[in-house]
Amino acid sequence: MDFQEEIFRRRTFGIISHPDAGKTTLTEKLLLFGGAIQEAGAVKNNKIKKAATSDFMEIERQRGISVATSVLAFIYKDKKINILDTPGHKDFAEDTFRTLTAVDSVIVVIDVAKGVEEQTEKLVEVCRMRNIPIIVFINKLDREGKDAFDLLDEVEQKLGLSVTPLSFPIGMGYDFKGIYNIYEKNINLFSGDSKKDIEDTIAFDDVSNPELETIIGLEAAEALRENLELVEGVYPAFDKEKYLGGHQQPVFFGSALNNFGVRELLDCFINIAPSPKPKMADERLVEANEKNFSGFVFKIHANMDPKHRDRLAFVKIVSGTFERNKPYLHVRLNKKVKFSSPNAFFAEKKEIVDISYPGDIVGLHDTGNFKIGDSLTENEILHYKGIPSFSPEHFRYINNADPMKSKQLYKGIDQLMDEGVAQLFTLELNGRKVIGTVGALQFEVIQYRLEHEYGAKCSYENFPVHKACWVQPEELQSEEFKEFKRVKQKFLAIDKRGQLVFLADSQFSLQMTQQKYPSVQLHFTSEFE
Ligand code: G4P
């Protein structure tokens, strides 16, 4: 297979959902179709159960498991599928945001009874900002849930999407009989009462054919005809270009647990989902089929064994091929590095791999050279865009609780921040360090890891911040900016990249500041045009 074909057959995507909507179950069913696992239940559940949210030891254990499921790859109908794991737990939302910079498309799973939930809204917003192609899978149709049309409305309104159903349920819950596949024009029926097996796939391109009544019964046939007519009248026809541009989102219905509607989803997915796309760097747009290798680090995973402080850096290949033992340029360090044992991921296994293609993820052993967002190239200076930091939700001063171990503490903090566990801000006024996290849980994780991996002790102190806002550098020289800096001195800090950040202590003070200093541009993410 030549280079171009290798690129063309790759599909790298993420599955996103609110916890419990069925992401893990769907992933597992996709792996079953790909023959990557033999039985259901084989994928370890890497989600952090609700019960464990205050138990950080449990999180540490889960962290180990999730290395294995960070990337799940398999072959289906000759397509190489890479599923990137996205933690559903909201305390780890930032991990998920970063992973979304490495996917070429996503599947959003929604629970038919619960509809659009909070976490889904946030994640889809990030996808929309980047025009990532989205397919929606409405799950748990074997249960009573919301009316299909109401749900489609909800998806459009709450998620700001423009949907078009490519399958439609025949009944729901107790009366769930099967799925009409609008994309392929056929009917899939459940067998028996168990709703466990697909009885038949019946080609059926004309629902007005009276045979429909014989197959699904009079009532269901009438309802289906009516529904499909409505679908045709209300929703636009599927347009692949619009989907690829992030302007239209096809919807599938099914039940992941019962393996129903999943094949339809997967078959359509491999047909329409994009192969690796070009990626924008600060310097230029880089095409996947360029000869020279380039890639970027979107995730760093610490080793579970505290005695070995090495980590695994996950690199998404953007262009060219990544080869074992070949020297590449680490752009930030301006240093050549080579890797004797890059890992590729297959189903749940890691394997040393000689060559990887655009769209693939390689895991590189790292002793502290990588930060999230780092670029690797053949020689060119490239800085990939699209890995911003978002304002953390919780802020605390971090203090050294063991003066003899300050070196270890700072090294530990530094490395944990490189991994993206949390964000560090240094106050301009007095140099004190403030840690910002998405969830309260990370404070415990940091304290625990500093102690166990670095032999350092820390304590925290409250620091009330409503939001961190990044200050646009162009404005730094104006009189207004000088005034802003003088008055707000107490609330200014520098982040890890050296960018100036305003830590607003309330929504009110943020608004007042914006009104008073209109030329000082405040941004809610660290990356802006
Ligand atoms: P998540 O990764 O999105 O958090 O969800 P997960 O797949 O773990 O699914 C959450 C729960 O929903 C699981 O039940 C799972 O069995 C169930 N589920 C998934 N798909 C379907 C479906 O199509 N129909 C029905 N009825 N249930 C579904 P659980 O009891 O929380 O966990 P478990 O003990 O079954 O693993």
Side-chain angles (χ1 to χ4, degrees):
M1 204 173 292
D2 72 15
F3 179 49
Q4 190 62 47
E5 283 167 344
E6 286 288 2
I7 298 174
F8 188 66
R9 75 182 191 123
R10 275 167 169 75
R11 302 283 182 275
T12 302
F13 75 108
I15 304 179
I16 56 177
S17 73
H18 193 86
D20 276 346
K23 181 168 70 76
T24 312
T25 314
L26 179 64
T27 307
E28 185 173 284
K29 293 297 148 74
L30 295 177
L31 290 177
L32 276 169
F33 274 112
I37 53 171
Q38 261 56 44
E39 54 183 316
V43 177
K44 301 213 188 54
N45 203 338
N46 68 336
K47 67 182 175 161
I48 291 152
K49 293 267 184 198
K50 278 181 237 100
T53 48
S54 60
D55 180 355
F56 63 91
M57 281 305 290
E58 177 62 10
I59 300 248
E60 283 297 294
R61 198 182 62 76
Q62 301 270 5
R63 217 158 56 78
I65 294 172
S66 70
V67 177
T69 55
S70 285
V71 185
L72 295 160
F74 61 94
I75 309 277
Y76 177 72
K77 295 195 174 165
D78 208 35
K79 297 281 187 290
K80 165 89 187 287
I81 317 258
N82 294 315
I83 307 181
L84 307 196
D85 184 45
T86 55
H89 193 291
K90 76 172 178 17
D91 284 11
F92 294 87
E94 190 139 352
D95 266 10
T96 300
F97 294 149
R98 279 191 296 257
T99 299
L100 290 178
T101 63
V103 302
D104 295 307
S105 71
V106 302
I107 293 178
V108 179
V109 183
I110 292 173
D111 182 323
V112 70
K114 295 196 179 131
V116 172
E117 295 173 89
E118 184 200 342
Q119 204 53 18
T120 319
E121 281 186 58
K122 284 200 190 133
L123 295 172
V124 169
E125 198 184 322
V126 175
C127 295
R128 271 197 303 124
M129 274 161 53
R130 285 154 200 277
N131 293 328
I132 297 177
I134 300 174
I135 295 180
V136 178
F137 182 71
I138 297 186
N139 189 28
K140 307 196 186 180
L141 262 285
D142 57 315
R143 288 202 185 152
E144 293 299 329
K146 300 188 182 188
D147 170 75
F149 287 106
D150 288 348
L151 246 160
L152 292 170
D153 273 356
E154 189 177 327
V155 169
E156 291 212 313
Q157 271 154 30
K158 285 202 181 159
L159 299 180
L161 300 181
S162 169
V163 300
T164 187
L166 286 188
S167 77
F168 210 84
I170 305 172
M172 182 190 289
Y174 183 74
D175 292 324
F176 186 35
K177 288 195 165 52
I179 300 273
Y180 183 75
N181 188 337
I182 300 174
Y183 185 66
E184 288 176 6
K185 298 219 181 314
N186 58 34
I187 295 176
N188 274 329
L189 291 181
F190 271 145
S191 69
D193 288 336
S194 68
K195 299 192 171 151
K196 283 253 178 277
D197 303 305
I198 302 167
E199 189 175 58
D200 262 329
T201 299
I202 308 162
F204 214 96
D205 58 4
D206 178 14
V207 284
S208 63
N209 187 331
E211 217 185 305
L212 186 65
E213 278 117 73
T214 350
I215 302 173
I216 60 174
L218 180 66
E219 219 173 296
E222 278 174 356
L224 179 65
R225 283 185 190 124
E226 223 170 86
N227 287 337
L228 291 180
E229 209 172 299
L230 208 55
V231 166
E232 213 177 312
V234 174
Y235 297 100
F238 172 65
D239 179 331
K240 188 170 166 187
E241 287 314 307
K242 283 195 179 153
Y243 155 72
L244 290 175
H247 306 301
Q248 188 188 69
Q249 291 77 24
V251 179
F252 284 85
F253 291 84
S255 163
L257 188 66
N258 299 304
N259 209 357
F260 211 85
V262 178
R263 190 194 57 77
E264 287 86 337
L265 172 74
L266 182 58
D267 281 346
C268 176
F269 171 82
I270 58 165
N271 260 327
I272 67 171
S275 44
K277 296 205 280 195
K279 193 162 174 77
M280 200 62 184
D282 284 345
E283 293 77 8
R284 65 182 183 89
L285 186 72
V286 181
E287 301 283 344
N289 62 4
E290 290 181 22
K291 205 173 112 274
N292 288 340
F293 160 74
S294 70
F296 66 95
V297 177
F298 66 95
K299 175 177 180 140
I300 293 179
H301 220 298
N303 196 314
M304 283 298 289
D305 181 352
K307 284 193 250 25
H308 299 104
R309 216 182 277 151
D310 65 329
R311 315 182 285 185
L312 206 55
F314 290 78
V315 174
K316 159 96 187 265
I317 298 171
V318 178
S319 65
T321 52
F322 179 92
E323 287 161 48
R324 187 153 86 101
N325 282 325
K326 189 168 172 182
Y328 293 115
L329 178 68
H330 185 312
V331 175
R332 182 174 53 84
L333 301 181
N334 190 22
K335 186 170 109 178
K336 284 280 173 126
V337 283
K338 65 179 178 184
F339 301 89
S340 57
S341 51
N343 283 295
F345 302 86
F346 240 84
E348 286 189 279
K349 292 190 293 289
K350 285 194 304 200
E351 283 167 7
I352 290 178
V353 68
D354 290 326
I355 184 161
S356 305
Y357 294 91
D360 284 342
I361 312 297
V362 284
L364 304 177
H365 285 283
D366 170 41
T367 48
N369 287 324
F370 283 121
K371 278 187 195 189
I372 283 178
D374 278 347
S375 303
L376 277 181
T377 68
E378 208 130 334
N379 248 330
E380 191 178 349
I381 307 292
L382 288 174
H383 297 88
Y384 279 108
K385 277 181 183 298
I387 312 183
S389 303
F390 294 82
S391 175
E393 309 264 320
H394 305 267
F395 297 81
R396 289 186 198 165
Y397 283 119
I398 182 163
N399 299 323
N400 186 359
D402 181 353
M404 304 298 289
K405 297 281 171 64
S406 60
K407 216 171 125 197
Q408 287 85 335
L409 182 80
Y410 292 117
K411 176 160 190 188
I413 294 178
D414 224 39
Q415 293 209 344
L416 293 183
M417 299 306 128
D418 288 351
E419 265 178 50
V421 176
Q423 294 180 54
L424 183 73
F425 302 96
T426 309
L427 292 183
E428 286 239 290
L429 189 64
N430 52 19
R432 286 193 73 180
K433 298 206 180 307
V434 173
I435 300 264
T437 67
V438 177
L441 201 61
Q442 270 97 336
F443 290 110
E444 286 177 66
V445 172
I446 291 168
Q447 200 165 35
Y448 176 87
R449 290 189 55 194
L450 283 174
E451 194 171 337
H452 289 82
E453 291 170 36
Y454 298 89
K457 282 201 167 71
C458 75
S459 65
Y460 297 114
E461 219 177 294
N462 272 342
F463 185 59
V465 175
H466 164 68
K467 226 177 187 80
C469 312
W470 280 265
V471 183
Q472 180 122 12
E474 276 79 4
E475 306 298 334
L476 301 193
Q477 298 319 320
S478 71
E479 281 308 310
E480 192 169 286
F481 177 72
K482 284 182 192 149
E483 168 77 4
F484 160 79
K485 235 185 137 180
R486 194 179 55 75
V487 175
K488 297 291 174 192
Q489 196 183 25
K490 246 174 72 186
F491 302 99
L492 292 176
I494 298 293
D495 76 357
K496 264 216 84 177
R497 304 190 218 188
Q499 277 177 280
L500 186 66
V501 180
F502 171 54
L503 301 171
D505 58 350
S506 67
Q507 176 64 24
F508 179 71
S509 101
L510 176 57
Q511 275 169 352
M512 292 306 289
T513 308
Q514 280 169 321
Q515 272 169 25
K516 204 157 168 216
Y517 309 101
S519 75
V520 176
Q521 286 193 42
L522 302 176
H523 297 268
F524 298 122
T525 68
S526 65
E527 211 173 64
F528 32 82
E529 297 302 318

